[in-house]
């Protein structure tokens, strides 16, 4: 019912050469996957990545997304990109609410909800990231924080989103992955919160993110409510990213 998604968040990594090598490494592997594949390169490399995929006829298999967007369509917002511009460059997805943007760019739940609305306005599929910090978990408020983040988006935008990504902050880039059971517990909770908002809870993919690797992907994806992975570090190695994607059913 829900197709698996392997999503690669390159964060601020890459170069023209990296894009060329990466696409070459996907060729011959990505064609046999059952799951959907989405790549989130740094925005400046979107057109080159789109063109490189098209060149090898992989553009129908690999979808592209941006890591951020502005809420407005256009205007005097130096350094920003609108969802409409991202769509024009070939993006179909956009990350919103990634913990690094919440932390380094000060994005609050309200900003994340406004950006989700802007993504939908532009026809992009928002991949809405939620997740608690280590301090939240230690204080016993992990569930309240995650559901609070989710509900502020649902209250403003409804549930017709592209995907949710649960990414516990303490697991991002740390090598500390949530156990499959702990992740599943939060995914199931997220799914019931979606249902309470009459969102299409059964259809909306919920991805796990936080130190997903070739070696732990299979156990995570075996859980009932984990529909895929949002992969940072390990997505920079095309071979390992494909290994992760192969662990996902269609
Ligand atoms: P990581 O990052 O896989 O390097 O932990 C995940 C993410 O931030 O999306």
């Amino acid at each position: 019912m829900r197709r698996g998604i392997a999503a690669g968040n390159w964060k601020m990594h890459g170069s023209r050469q990296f894009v060329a090598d990466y696409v070459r490494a996907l060729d011959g592997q990505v064609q046999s996957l059952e799951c959907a594949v989405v790549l989130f390169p740094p925005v400046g490399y979107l057109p080159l990545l789109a063109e490189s995929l098209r060149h090898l006829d992989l553009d129908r298999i690999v979808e592209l997304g941006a890591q951020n967007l502005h809420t407005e369509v256009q205007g005097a917002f130096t350094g920003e990109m609108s969802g409409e511009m991202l769509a024009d460059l070939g993006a179909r997805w956009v990350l919103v609410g990634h913990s690094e943007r919440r932390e380094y760019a000060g994005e609050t739940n309200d900003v994340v909800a406004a950006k989700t609305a802007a993504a939908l306005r532009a026809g992009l599929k928002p991949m809405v990231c939620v997740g608690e910090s280590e301090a939240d978990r230690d204080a016993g408020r992990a569930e309240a924080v995650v559901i609070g983040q989710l509900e502020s988006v649902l209250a403003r935008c409804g549930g017709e989103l592209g995907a949710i990504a649960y990414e516990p902050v303490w697991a991002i880039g740390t090598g500390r992955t949530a156990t499959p059971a702990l992740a599943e517990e939060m995914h199931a909770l997220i799914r019931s919160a979606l249902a309470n908002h009459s969102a299409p809870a059964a259809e909306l993919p919920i991805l796990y993110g936080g130190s997903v690797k070739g070696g732990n992907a299979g156990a995570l994806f075996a859980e009932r409510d984990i529909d895929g992975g949002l992969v940072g570090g390990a997505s920079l190695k095309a071979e390992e990213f494909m290994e992760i994607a192969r662990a996902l059913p269609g």
Side-chain angles (χ1 to χ4, degrees), residues 138-192:
D138 290 347
R141 48 171 192 256
E143 298 182 348
V145 166
V146 168
I147 297 306
Q149 291 172 343
L150 180 66
E151 289 193 333
S152 81
V153 169
L154 295 175
R156 174 142 183 184
C157 303
E160 298 287 339
L161 308 169
I164 308 287
Y166 168 57
E167 301 201 301
V169 179
W170 46 270
I172 294 178
T174 58
R176 261 180 83 195
T177 320
T179 61
L182 185 149
E184 169 60 21
E185 209 177 297
M186 194 64 92
H187 280 232
L189 189 74
I190 290 170
R191 206 174 299 285
S192 53

Short mmCIF file of all heavy atoms in Angstrom, two decimals, residues 138-192:
data_model
loop_
_atom_site.label_atom_id
_atom_site.label_comp_id
_atom_site.label_asym_id
_atom_site.label_seq_id
_atom_site.Cartn_x
_atom_site.Cartn_y
_atom_site.Cartn_z
N ASP A 138 15.81 12.49 27.36
CA ASP A 138 16.20 12.24 28.75
C ASP A 138 15.15 12.79 29.72
O ASP A 138 14.95 12.26 30.80
CB ASP A 138 17.56 12.88 29.06
CG ASP A 138 18.69 12.14 28.35
OD1 ASP A 138 18.43 11.03 27.84
OD2 ASP A 138 19.80 12.69 28.27
N ALA A 139 14.50 13.87 29.32
CA ALA A 139 13.49 14.49 30.20
C ALA A 139 12.12 13.83 30.03
O ALA A 139 11.13 14.29 30.62
CB ALA A 139 13.40 15.98 29.90
N GLY A 140 12.04 12.81 29.20
CA GLY A 140 10.79 12.08 29.03
C GLY A 140 9.76 12.82 28.19
O GLY A 140 8.57 12.54 28.25
N ARG A 141 10.25 13.79 27.35
CA ARG A 141 9.26 14.51 26.55
C ARG A 141 9.44 14.27 25.04
O ARG A 141 8.98 15.07 24.23
CB ARG A 141 9.27 16.00 26.87
CG ARG A 141 10.62 16.66 26.90
CD ARG A 141 10.56 18.18 27.03
NE ARG A 141 11.90 18.66 26.74
CZ ARG A 141 12.77 19.09 27.65
NH1 ARG A 141 12.42 19.16 28.92
NH2 ARG A 141 13.97 19.46 27.30
N ALA A 142 10.09 13.17 24.68
CA ALA A 142 10.33 12.89 23.26
C ALA A 142 9.02 12.86 22.47
O ALA A 142 8.89 13.50 21.41
CB ALA A 142 11.08 11.57 23.10
N GLU A 143 8.05 12.16 23.00
CA GLU A 143 6.80 11.99 22.25
C GLU A 143 6.06 13.31 22.14
O GLU A 143 5.55 13.66 21.07
CB GLU A 143 5.93 10.94 22.93
CG GLU A 143 6.64 9.60 22.94
CD GLU A 143 5.84 8.46 23.56
OE1 GLU A 143 4.81 8.75 24.20
OE2 GLU A 143 6.25 7.31 23.37
N ALA A 144 6.04 14.07 23.23
CA ALA A 144 5.33 15.36 23.21
C ALA A 144 5.98 16.31 22.21
O ALA A 144 5.28 17.03 21.47
CB ALA A 144 5.33 15.98 24.60
N VAL A 145 7.31 16.32 22.15
CA VAL A 145 8.00 17.22 21.22
C VAL A 145 7.70 16.83 19.77
O VAL A 145 7.35 17.67 18.94
CB VAL A 145 9.54 17.19 21.49
CG1 VAL A 145 10.31 17.83 20.34
CG2 VAL A 145 9.86 17.89 22.81
N VAL A 146 7.82 15.55 19.49
CA VAL A 146 7.62 15.09 18.11
C VAL A 146 6.18 15.32 17.67
O VAL A 146 5.92 15.83 16.56
CB VAL A 146 8.01 13.59 17.99
CG1 VAL A 146 7.54 12.99 16.67
CG2 VAL A 146 9.53 13.44 18.13
N ILE A 147 5.24 14.99 18.52
CA ILE A 147 3.83 15.16 18.15
C ILE A 147 3.50 16.65 18.04
O ILE A 147 2.74 17.08 17.17
CB ILE A 147 2.90 14.41 19.13
CG1 ILE A 147 3.19 12.90 19.05
CG2 ILE A 147 1.43 14.69 18.84
CD1 ILE A 147 3.13 12.28 17.66
N GLY A 148 4.11 17.47 18.90
CA GLY A 148 3.92 18.92 18.79
C GLY A 148 4.42 19.46 17.46
O GLY A 148 3.76 20.29 16.82
N GLN A 149 5.60 19.00 17.05
CA GLN A 149 6.15 19.45 15.76
C GLN A 149 5.22 19.03 14.62
O GLN A 149 4.93 19.81 13.70
CB GLN A 149 7.53 18.81 15.54
CG GLN A 149 8.61 19.36 16.47
CD GLN A 149 9.92 18.57 16.37
OE1 GLN A 149 9.96 17.46 15.87
NE2 GLN A 149 10.99 19.18 16.86
N LEU A 150 4.73 17.80 14.69
CA LEU A 150 3.86 17.29 13.63
C LEU A 150 2.53 18.04 13.61
O LEU A 150 2.04 18.43 12.54
CB LEU A 150 3.62 15.79 13.89
CG LEU A 150 2.75 15.06 12.89
CD1 LEU A 150 3.43 15.01 11.53
CD2 LEU A 150 2.45 13.64 13.38
N GLU A 151 1.97 18.25 14.79
CA GLU A 151 0.63 18.84 14.83
C GLU A 151 0.62 20.28 14.35
O GLU A 151 -0.37 20.74 13.78
CB GLU A 151 0.04 18.71 16.23
CG GLU A 151 -0.31 17.24 16.46
CD GLU A 151 -1.17 16.97 17.66
OE1 GLU A 151 -1.10 17.76 18.62
OE2 GLU A 151 -1.89 15.95 17.63
N SER A 152 1.73 21.00 14.53
CA SER A 152 1.71 22.38 14.05
C SER A 152 1.65 22.40 12.51
O SER A 152 1.02 23.27 11.91
CB SER A 152 2.89 23.20 14.61
OG SER A 152 4.04 22.96 13.88
N VAL A 153 2.27 21.41 11.87
CA VAL A 153 2.17 21.30 10.41
C VAL A 153 0.76 20.86 10.00
O VAL A 153 0.15 21.43 9.09
CB VAL A 153 3.23 20.31 9.86
CG1 VAL A 153 2.98 19.98 8.40
CG2 VAL A 153 4.63 20.90 10.04
N LEU A 154 0.25 19.85 10.69
CA LEU A 154 -1.08 19.33 10.32
C LEU A 154 -2.17 20.38 10.52
O LEU A 154 -3.09 20.48 9.70
CB LEU A 154 -1.40 18.09 11.16
CG LEU A 154 -0.50 16.87 10.92
CD1 LEU A 154 -0.85 15.76 11.90
CD2 LEU A 154 -0.63 16.37 9.48
N ALA A 155 -2.03 21.18 11.58
CA ALA A 155 -3.05 22.19 11.85
C ALA A 155 -3.09 23.22 10.73
O ALA A 155 -4.16 23.71 10.36
CB ALA A 155 -2.75 22.88 13.19
N ARG A 156 -1.94 23.54 10.18
CA ARG A 156 -1.91 24.56 9.14
C ARG A 156 -2.15 24.00 7.74
O ARG A 156 -2.76 24.65 6.89
CB ARG A 156 -0.55 25.26 9.16
CG ARG A 156 -0.35 26.23 8.03
CD ARG A 156 0.39 27.45 8.45
NE ARG A 156 0.49 28.37 7.33
CZ ARG A 156 1.15 29.48 7.36
NH1 ARG A 156 1.77 29.84 8.46
NH2 ARG A 156 1.20 30.26 6.30
N CYS A 157 -1.65 22.80 7.49
CA CYS A 157 -1.60 22.29 6.10
C CYS A 157 -2.49 21.08 5.85
O CYS A 157 -2.64 20.67 4.70
CB CYS A 157 -0.17 21.89 5.75
SG CYS A 157 1.00 23.24 5.95
N GLY A 158 -3.02 20.45 6.89
CA GLY A 158 -3.72 19.19 6.68
C GLY A 158 -2.70 18.09 6.44
O GLY A 158 -1.49 18.32 6.53
N GLY A 159 -3.20 16.93 6.11
CA GLY A 159 -2.31 15.77 6.06
C GLY A 159 -1.87 15.33 4.69
O GLY A 159 -1.25 14.28 4.54
N GLU A 160 -2.17 16.14 3.66
CA GLU A 160 -1.78 15.72 2.30
C GLU A 160 -0.32 16.11 2.05
O GLU A 160 -0.02 16.98 1.23
CB GLU A 160 -2.69 16.38 1.25
CG GLU A 160 -4.16 16.00 1.37
CD GLU A 160 -4.46 14.57 0.92
OE1 GLU A 160 -3.64 14.01 0.16
OE2 GLU A 160 -5.48 14.02 1.35
N LEU A 161 0.58 15.46 2.77
CA LEU A 161 2.00 15.79 2.68
C LEU A 161 2.69 14.76 1.79
O LEU A 161 2.09 13.76 1.41
CB LEU A 161 2.60 15.78 4.08
CG LEU A 161 1.85 16.64 5.11
CD1 LEU A 161 2.35 16.35 6.52
CD2 LEU A 161 1.99 18.13 4.79
N GLY A 162 3.97 15.01 1.48
CA GLY A 162 4.71 14.02 0.69
C GLY A 162 5.13 12.84 1.56
O GLY A 162 4.92 11.67 1.20
N ALA A 163 5.72 13.15 2.69
CA ALA A 163 6.20 12.13 3.63
C ALA A 163 6.55 12.81 4.94
O ALA A 163 6.74 14.03 4.99
CB ALA A 163 7.44 11.41 3.08
N ILE A 164 6.63 11.99 5.99
CA ILE A 164 7.16 12.45 7.28
C ILE A 164 8.50 11.74 7.47
O ILE A 164 8.64 10.57 7.08
CB ILE A 164 6.24 12.01 8.45
CG1 ILE A 164 4.77 12.41 8.22
CG2 ILE A 164 6.77 12.52 9.79
CD1 ILE A 164 4.49 13.86 8.37
N ALA A 165 9.48 12.43 8.04
CA ALA A 165 10.73 11.75 8.40
C ALA A 165 10.94 11.94 9.90
O ALA A 165 11.01 13.08 10.37
CB ALA A 165 11.90 12.32 7.62
N TYR A 166 10.97 10.83 10.62
CA TYR A 166 11.29 10.89 12.05
C TYR A 166 12.79 10.75 12.20
O TYR A 166 13.37 9.71 11.84
CB TYR A 166 10.57 9.77 12.82
CG TYR A 166 11.11 9.63 14.23
CD1 TYR A 166 11.09 10.72 15.11
CD2 TYR A 166 11.66 8.43 14.69
CE1 TYR A 166 11.61 10.62 16.40
CE2 TYR A 166 12.18 8.32 15.97
CZ TYR A 166 12.16 9.42 16.82
OH TYR A 166 12.69 9.32 18.08
N GLU A 167 13.42 11.82 12.70
CA GLU A 167 14.86 11.82 12.85
C GLU A 167 15.23 12.29 14.25
O GLU A 167 15.32 13.50 14.51
CB GLU A 167 15.51 12.77 11.84
CG GLU A 167 15.21 12.42 10.40
CD GLU A 167 16.24 13.03 9.45
OE1 GLU A 167 16.39 14.26 9.44
OE2 GLU A 167 16.92 12.26 8.78
N PRO A 168 15.45 11.35 15.17
CA PRO A 168 15.89 11.77 16.51
C PRO A 168 17.23 12.49 16.39
O PRO A 168 18.16 11.97 15.78
CB PRO A 168 16.01 10.44 17.28
CG PRO A 168 15.98 9.35 16.27
CD PRO A 168 15.37 9.88 15.01
N VAL A 169 17.30 13.69 16.94
CA VAL A 169 18.48 14.54 16.74
C VAL A 169 19.75 13.85 17.25
O VAL A 169 20.82 13.97 16.64
CB VAL A 169 18.27 15.91 17.43
CG1 VAL A 169 19.49 16.80 17.25
CG2 VAL A 169 17.04 16.60 16.87
N TRP A 170 19.62 13.10 18.33
CA TRP A 170 20.78 12.42 18.92
C TRP A 170 21.31 11.30 18.03
O TRP A 170 22.39 10.77 18.28
CB TRP A 170 20.43 11.87 20.31
CG TRP A 170 19.11 11.14 20.37
CD1 TRP A 170 17.89 11.68 20.66
CD2 TRP A 170 18.87 9.76 20.11
NE1 TRP A 170 16.91 10.73 20.60
CE2 TRP A 170 17.49 9.54 20.27
CE3 TRP A 170 19.68 8.68 19.77
CZ2 TRP A 170 16.90 8.29 20.09
CZ3 TRP A 170 19.11 7.43 19.59
CH2 TRP A 170 17.73 7.24 19.75
N ALA A 171 20.57 10.95 16.99
CA ALA A 171 21.02 9.87 16.10
C ALA A 171 21.57 10.40 14.78
O ALA A 171 22.09 9.64 13.97
CB ALA A 171 19.86 8.91 15.82
N ILE A 172 21.47 11.72 14.56
CA ILE A 172 21.87 12.27 13.26
C ILE A 172 23.37 12.52 13.24
O ILE A 172 23.90 13.28 14.04
CB ILE A 172 21.11 13.58 12.96
CG1 ILE A 172 19.62 13.29 12.78
CG2 ILE A 172 21.67 14.25 11.71
CD1 ILE A 172 18.78 14.51 12.53
N GLY A 173 24.03 11.82 12.33
CA GLY A 173 25.47 12.03 12.13
C GLY A 173 26.33 11.59 13.30
O GLY A 173 27.51 11.92 13.36
N THR A 174 25.73 10.84 14.23
CA THR A 174 26.46 10.46 15.43
C THR A 174 26.90 9.00 15.40
O THR A 174 27.67 8.58 16.24
CB THR A 174 25.57 10.63 16.68
OG1 THR A 174 24.40 9.83 16.50
CG2 THR A 174 25.17 12.08 16.88
N GLY A 175 26.36 8.24 14.46
CA GLY A 175 26.62 6.81 14.45
C GLY A 175 25.73 6.06 15.44
O GLY A 175 25.74 4.84 15.51
N ARG A 176 24.93 6.81 16.21
CA ARG A 176 24.00 6.20 17.18
C ARG A 176 22.64 6.07 16.53
O ARG A 176 21.93 7.06 16.40
CB ARG A 176 23.85 7.12 18.39
CG ARG A 176 24.68 6.76 19.57
CD ARG A 176 24.42 7.78 20.67
NE ARG A 176 23.22 7.48 21.44
CZ ARG A 176 22.63 8.36 22.25
NH1 ARG A 176 23.10 9.58 22.36
NH2 ARG A 176 21.57 8.01 22.95
N THR A 177 22.28 4.90 16.10
CA THR A 177 20.96 4.72 15.47
C THR A 177 19.94 4.37 16.54
O THR A 177 20.27 3.67 17.50
CB THR A 177 21.01 3.53 14.48
OG1 THR A 177 22.24 3.59 13.80
CG2 THR A 177 19.88 3.58 13.49
N ALA A 178 18.71 4.83 16.37
CA ALA A 178 17.64 4.36 17.25
C ALA A 178 17.47 2.87 17.00
O ALA A 178 17.64 2.40 15.87
CB ALA A 178 16.35 5.10 16.95
N THR A 179 17.14 2.12 18.03
CA THR A 179 16.87 0.69 17.79
C THR A 179 15.61 0.61 16.94
O THR A 179 14.75 1.51 16.99
CB THR A 179 16.61 -0.07 19.10
OG1 THR A 179 15.47 0.52 19.74
CG2 THR A 179 17.82 0.00 20.03
N PRO A 180 15.47 -0.46 16.17
CA PRO A 180 14.25 -0.61 15.37
C PRO A 180 13.00 -0.51 16.24
O PRO A 180 12.02 0.12 15.84
CB PRO A 180 14.41 -2.00 14.75
CG PRO A 180 15.90 -2.19 14.64
CD PRO A 180 16.47 -1.52 15.86
N ALA A 181 13.04 -1.07 17.44
CA ALA A 181 11.85 -1.05 18.30
C ALA A 181 11.52 0.37 18.76
O ALA A 181 10.36 0.78 18.75
CB ALA A 181 12.06 -1.97 19.50
N LEU A 182 12.55 1.13 19.11
CA LEU A 182 12.31 2.50 19.57
C LEU A 182 11.77 3.35 18.40
O LEU A 182 10.83 4.13 18.57
CB LEU A 182 13.62 3.10 20.11
CG LEU A 182 13.53 4.48 20.74
CD1 LEU A 182 14.57 4.62 21.86
CD2 LEU A 182 13.73 5.59 19.72
N ALA A 183 12.38 3.18 17.23
CA ALA A 183 11.90 3.94 16.07
C ALA A 183 10.47 3.56 15.74
O ALA A 183 9.62 4.42 15.49
CB ALA A 183 12.83 3.69 14.88
N GLU A 184 10.18 2.26 15.77
CA GLU A 184 8.83 1.80 15.42
C GLU A 184 7.79 2.38 16.38
O GLU A 184 6.69 2.77 15.97
CB GLU A 184 8.78 0.27 15.43
CG GLU A 184 7.38 -0.35 15.35
CD GLU A 184 6.58 0.01 14.10
OE1 GLU A 184 7.18 0.42 13.08
OE2 GLU A 184 5.33 -0.11 14.14
N GLU A 185 8.17 2.46 17.64
CA GLU A 185 7.23 3.02 18.63
C GLU A 185 6.84 4.45 18.24
O GLU A 185 5.66 4.82 18.28
CB GLU A 185 7.96 3.05 19.98
CG GLU A 185 7.10 2.92 21.19
CD GLU A 185 7.99 2.89 22.44
OE1 GLU A 185 8.79 1.95 22.58
OE2 GLU A 185 7.90 3.83 23.22
N MET A 186 7.84 5.25 17.84
CA MET A 186 7.54 6.64 17.48
C MET A 186 6.78 6.70 16.15
O MET A 186 5.87 7.51 15.98
CB MET A 186 8.83 7.46 17.40
CG MET A 186 8.61 8.93 17.36
SD MET A 186 7.83 9.59 18.87
CE MET A 186 9.27 10.02 19.83
N HIS A 187 7.15 5.84 15.21
CA HIS A 187 6.45 5.84 13.92
C HIS A 187 4.97 5.50 14.11
O HIS A 187 4.10 6.10 13.48
CB HIS A 187 7.12 4.84 12.96
CG HIS A 187 8.36 5.36 12.32
ND1 HIS A 187 8.58 5.35 10.96
CD2 HIS A 187 9.46 5.95 12.87
CE1 HIS A 187 9.75 5.90 10.71
NE2 HIS A 187 10.32 6.26 11.85
N ALA A 188 4.71 4.52 14.97
CA ALA A 188 3.32 4.13 15.19
C ALA A 188 2.55 5.28 15.85
O ALA A 188 1.39 5.55 15.50
CB ALA A 188 3.27 2.87 16.07
N LEU A 189 3.23 5.98 16.74
CA LEU A 189 2.60 7.12 17.40
C LEU A 189 2.30 8.24 16.38
O LEU A 189 1.23 8.86 16.40
CB LEU A 189 3.54 7.64 18.49
CG LEU A 189 2.97 8.69 19.41
CD1 LEU A 189 2.00 8.05 20.39
CD2 LEU A 189 4.09 9.39 20.19
N ILE A 190 3.27 8.47 15.50
CA ILE A 190 3.08 9.49 14.45
C ILE A 190 1.88 9.09 13.57
O ILE A 190 1.04 9.92 13.24
CB ILE A 190 4.36 9.64 13.60
CG1 ILE A 190 5.47 10.31 14.44
CG2 ILE A 190 4.10 10.40 12.30
CD1 ILE A 190 6.84 10.30 13.80
N ARG A 191 1.82 7.80 13.25
CA ARG A 191 0.71 7.38 12.38
C ARG A 191 -0.63 7.57 13.09
O ARG A 191 -1.60 7.97 12.46
CB ARG A 191 0.91 5.94 11.90
CG ARG A 191 0.19 5.71 10.57
CD ARG A 191 0.43 4.35 9.94
NE ARG A 191 1.79 4.02 9.59
CZ ARG A 191 2.47 4.52 8.56
NH1 ARG A 191 1.91 5.40 7.75
NH2 ARG A 191 3.71 4.15 8.33
N SER A 192 -0.67 7.33 14.38
CA SER A 192 -1.97 7.53 15.03
C SER A 192 -2.29 9.01 15.17
O SER A 192 -3.45 9.41 15.07
CB SER A 192 -2.09 6.77 16.35
OG SER A 192 -1.02 7.09 17.17
#
